[in-house]
Amino acid sequence: MNKSVKKIVLILTLIILLPALLFTAFEINSLNESEETIKEIYTNQLEAILFSVNQYSEDMVSSWRSALNTMVNDETALQNLSSRADSFLNINKSIQSIFFADSLNPVTVSGISLFNNYFDPVKILSQNSDKIRRLHSYQQAGYYKIEPLKNDDSSTVLITLLNDPHKKKNICGIIINSRQFIREVLSQKLKSISGEEFNITCTNKKNNELIYSVFNLDGQEIKLKKDLWLLPDYELGILLRGTSIESIISGRTTTNLLLISLLTLILIAGVFVVFRNIRREVELAQIKSDFVSNVSHELRTPLALISMFAETLEMGRARTEEKKQEYYSIISSEASRLSRIVNKILSFSKIEAGRREYNVAAVDLNSVVEEVFSTYQFHLQNNGFVFSLNMNEKIPEIKADSEAISEALINLIDNAVKYSRDKKEIHISTGFENTRAFVEVKDCGIGISEENQKKIFDKFYRVSEGLVHSTKGTGLGLTLVKHIMEAHQGEVTVKSKNGEGSRFRLVFPAFK
Ligand code: ADP
């Protein structure tokens, strides 16, 4: 690789690619962190939802407490407490029974006939005297707490304190049917806050039995569980419907990773394109400088020969008439070589400037070829070439600028001469390719490798390996040929093999 190209690669890598790759690495790393944060936010949101369910159930029981408090404070109600309590129980179906007691020790439970037969409040109160004492201290601070006490499998005892002025019924027990409470009281709330997005469940912690689920679980795993404050044996669960947080996050991660990779790929592709363009420019600059030195060299040789032989003739050093003739012909052929080179350069600069014009007319290709051949015959002979001209008389007229075609053909013959070594043979012929007329120049010279065949039509391009280097040239000949053929809506094709010679063809479109 060229030194300046290496430098460009280094600069591009340092300025664009390296930061881009570092950025990608950083992004991928921070992606994980932000996914963690999102997960945390989601979890917090789920926790908040479960918190509100707990809050709601406490509010529910608090409202029962208020109703019962009013009951024990109301003198008239107190007289028929039993029937008032009955109707309270009738309204609130999930409450199995309620009881009131006056103090802790000795426990004298007011004889309300609401207790279940198997339920012994005295025992429960005495077993949980610590908790009841704590309720008292809360009450002194002005706060009425509800404390779940012992519960069997199906029911839960909630104890709270009332404000009984007679101090007879200041401990209140509400025994609820846990399942019924969940299914009838809590379920409404669970339904309303779960919306369409979440599914909230309630399960028995002991046996994992699902007591209630807003939507069908369908085997989905419950992601977050929290105790139900008032029912210690039960817990609330929450999950996203249809999809899980993990799959949302992993979906996001995949999308983000894909986007980052795509961005990196685009960046790499961009860098590659920039690199290619710069490399082409660098190569072109190199080729141009080679061109200048090639042209100078090409001009210098014929000029030196012309001036040398002209001087010899001028000084009268050519003794015989034969020698003189030889020198004259050298001067003439070198002068025409010079003019060919100059014409080539002028022609190229016209093409580059878009000023080349073609005078198109109906042309007999055979006669153009014949004319060029006859001018060149002598030159070929002089250079020791075996040559032949084979013309297909049947080819139709073509529409072309005969001068331009001659120029293209001369360039091909010139190259055939220049790039032939030991086997000096040139065969020119005309013919048909499908329905299109062509003229071809075939040599047995050094040939062109497959890879170089693609490049030889580029401006200034010269094959730089092997013997070619010692042959003078501008790298413009085939560029001109290609341009001329394109202007005629035709094409120039090449068939060649290294060391075995080449065949160039000028193919013209069918004459309409
Ligand atoms: P140049 O002035 O170098 O001949 P051209 O554009 O005519 O420029 O040709 C480009 C290159 O293609 C040449 O440098 C040579 O390497 C290769 N080339 C062209 N014609 C032939 C041929 N007949 N045989 C072998 N190589 C050829």
Side-chain angles (χ1 to χ4, degrees):
M1 211 191 289
N2 189 306
K3 239 186 190 172
S4 20
V5 176
K6 266 187 199 162
K7 219 164 153 188
I8 294 164
V9 172
L10 199 73
I11 292 172
L12 280 179
T13 315
L14 281 180
I15 293 183
I16 306 176
L17 224 49
L18 211 64
L21 291 177
L22 281 177
F23 171 75
T24 309
F26 172 76
E27 271 300 293
I28 290 174
N29 191 35
S30 66
L31 209 62
N32 291 337
E33 278 173 28
S34 50
E35 302 316 349
E36 276 303 313
T37 317
I38 292 170
K39 201 169 174 181
E40 216 174 288
I41 293 169
Y42 263 117
T43 313
N44 286 346
Q45 193 188 351
L46 298 187
E47 272 179 15
I49 291 173
L50 296 189
F51 183 87
S52 76
V53 175
N54 265 323
Q55 197 66 52
Y56 171 80
S57 43
E58 275 220 346
D59 290 349
M60 197 68 214
V61 179
S62 288
S63 72
W64 290 342
R65 179 197 164 271
S66 300
L68 294 170
N69 197 40
T70 319
M71 218 184 283
V72 297
N73 276 287
D74 182 349
E75 288 298 333
T76 52
L78 215 50
Q79 283 159 18
N80 51 1
L81 190 57
S82 171
S83 67
R84 287 296 292 271
D86 272 342
S87 67
F88 177 79
L89 287 175
N90 262 335
I91 297 166
N92 302 296
K93 294 282 187 222
S94 58
I95 304 178
Q96 286 178 331
S97 53
I98 46 178
F99 70 83
F100 302 102
D102 60 351
S103 63
L104 242 192
N105 213 357
V107 180
T108 347
V109 180
S110 309
I112 292 174
S113 57
L114 296 169
F115 309 135
N116 288 329
N117 291 339
Y118 57 86
F119 187 78
D120 183 2
V122 182
K123 197 171 149 204
I124 282 182
L125 289 177
S126 56
Q127 273 172 353
N128 293 284
S129 53
D130 278 357
K131 283 185 180 164
I132 292 173
R133 220 167 277 130
R134 220 179 305 142
L135 285 180
H136 275 293
S137 60
Y138 281 131
Q139 188 187 31
Q140 271 153 22
Y143 174 57
Y144 293 94
K145 209 176 169 312
I146 297 150
E147 188 77 55
L149 295 187
K150 183 219 157 231
N151 58 302
D152 58 25
D153 279 349
S154 59
S155 59
T156 306
V157 183
L158 302 172
I159 295 289
T160 184
L161 298 185
L162 303 177
N163 287 329
D164 179 15
H166 309 292
K167 294 278 176 220
K168 288 258 185 232
K169 301 174 179 60
N170 54 351
I171 300 174
C172 170
I174 305 169
I175 296 94
I176 57 171
N177 180 323
S178 311
R179 288 156 172 270
Q180 212 172 342
F181 178 76
I182 292 166
R183 287 183 179 146
E184 285 167 18
V185 179
L186 268 193
S187 64
Q188 295 309 317
K189 182 68 182 170
L190 298 186
K191 256 186 214 155
S192 78
I193 61 172
S194 66
E196 284 300 312
E197 238 178 291
F198 301 104
N199 185 11
I200 305 179
T201 60
C202 197
T203 39
N204 187 321
K205 277 206 287 192
K206 281 184 186 162
N207 55 16
N208 246 341
E209 182 196 354
L210 183 69
I211 309 299
Y212 180 78
S213 171
V214 179
F215 298 100
N216 209 332
L217 252 186
D218 280 337
Q220 263 190 297
E221 196 188 339
I222 297 167
K223 277 296 154 202
L224 185 76
K225 289 178 176 172
K226 286 274 163 192
D227 283 347
L228 193 49
W229 301 338
L230 291 180
L231 307 176
D233 271 355
Y234 296 84
E235 62 184 2
L236 292 165
I238 188 163
L239 60 149
L240 270 170
R241 281 187 73 204
T243 168
S244 66
I245 296 170
E246 278 75 13
S247 65
I248 289 175
I249 290 175
S250 90
R252 268 180 54 105
T253 311
T254 320
T255 318
N256 286 348
L257 276 179
L258 274 178
L259 281 179
I260 290 174
S261 320
L262 195 73
L263 214 69
T264 315
L265 275 181
I266 291 173
L267 213 65
I268 290 173
V271 167
F272 179 70
V273 169
V274 171
F275 164 72
R276 239 184 38 177
N277 282 347
I278 293 177
R279 190 181 62 180
R280 206 177 289 157
E281 288 300 316
V282 168
E283 278 171 2
L284 205 63
Q286 177 68 43
I287 278 175
K288 273 183 182 164
S289 99
D290 287 352
F291 167 74
V292 172
S293 90
N294 283 338
V295 168
S296 316
H297 194 79
E298 278 242 56
L299 294 176
R300 214 168 40 208
T301 319
L303 274 178
L305 285 175
I306 289 170
S307 77
M308 188 178 86
F309 286 105
E311 211 179 288
T312 313
L313 287 168
E314 203 177 39
M315 309 268 288
R317 282 200 209 119
R319 305 223 181 271
T320 60
E321 199 51 36
E322 218 172 71
K323 272 284 167 214
K324 274 184 196 165
Q325 275 309 318
E326 188 192 333
Y327 293 170
Y328 285 139
S329 83
I330 290 175
I331 289 173
S332 142
S333 82
E334 287 304 312
S336 62
R337 188 168 135 199
L338 206 57
S339 85
R340 274 206 309 277
I341 296 165
V342 172
N343 279 343
K344 211 187 265 184
I345 295 168
L346 283 179
S347 199
F348 173 74
S349 79
K350 259 190 189 169
I351 286 173
E352 279 287 280
R355 281 190 290 110
R356 171 113 200 209
E357 280 170 15
Y358 296 93
N359 298 315
V360 180
V363 170
D364 173 21
L365 186 59
N366 281 337
S367 51
V368 175
V369 174
E370 208 163 7
E371 208 179 303
V372 172
F373 183 75
S374 62
T375 355
Y376 255 82
Q377 213 167 356
F378 179 66
H379 180 65
L380 293 176
Q381 224 158 16
N382 264 357
N383 283 287
F385 272 87
V386 174
F387 53 90
S388 69
L389 176 64
N390 211 328
M391 287 192 294
N392 186 332
E393 296 301 334
K394 286 186 189 137
I395 57 168
E397 280 191 323
I398 56 165
K399 233 179 167 181
D401 177 336
S402 57
E403 238 172 76
I405 304 172
S406 304
E407 190 184 334
L409 193 57
I410 290 170
N411 271 312
L412 293 186
I413 300 174
D414 230 11
N415 279 349
V417 173
K418 275 200 301 191
Y419 302 109
S420 288
R421 293 291 176 263
D422 302 332
K423 201 173 176 197
K424 295 186 166 197
E425 262 183 52
I426 293 179
H427 304 284
I428 302 171
S429 56
T430 58
F432 284 107
E433 189 181 286
N434 299 324
T435 57
R436 301 186 303 169
F438 71 79
V439 49
E440 79 171 29
V441 178
K442 195 166 164 278
D443 64 53
C444 300
I446 57 172
I448 308 158
S449 68
E450 193 99 358
E451 196 195 335
N452 278 321
Q453 284 176 26
K454 287 176 213 142
K455 300 182 191 163
I456 50 175
F457 297 99
D458 293 349
K459 59 184 172 192
F460 307 124
Y461 187 81
R462 306 198 68 224
V463 177
S464 56
E465 65 235 22
L467 290 166
V468 194
H469 217 57
S470 56
T471 311
K472 290 170 233 84
T474 54
L476 293 181
L478 290 179
T479 314
L480 288 177
V481 174
K482 186 175 173 220
H483 186 273
I484 291 169
M485 290 317 291
E486 277 171 0
H488 283 83
Q489 274 94 45
E491 58 176 340
V492 49
T493 58
V494 57
K495 246 190 182 170
S496 183
K497 226 176 183 185
N498 247 346
E500 288 181 19
S502 320
R503 191 206 74 186
F504 283 88
R505 233 178 219 194
L506 308 179
V507 189
F508 295 89
F511 192 3
K512 283 160 226 159

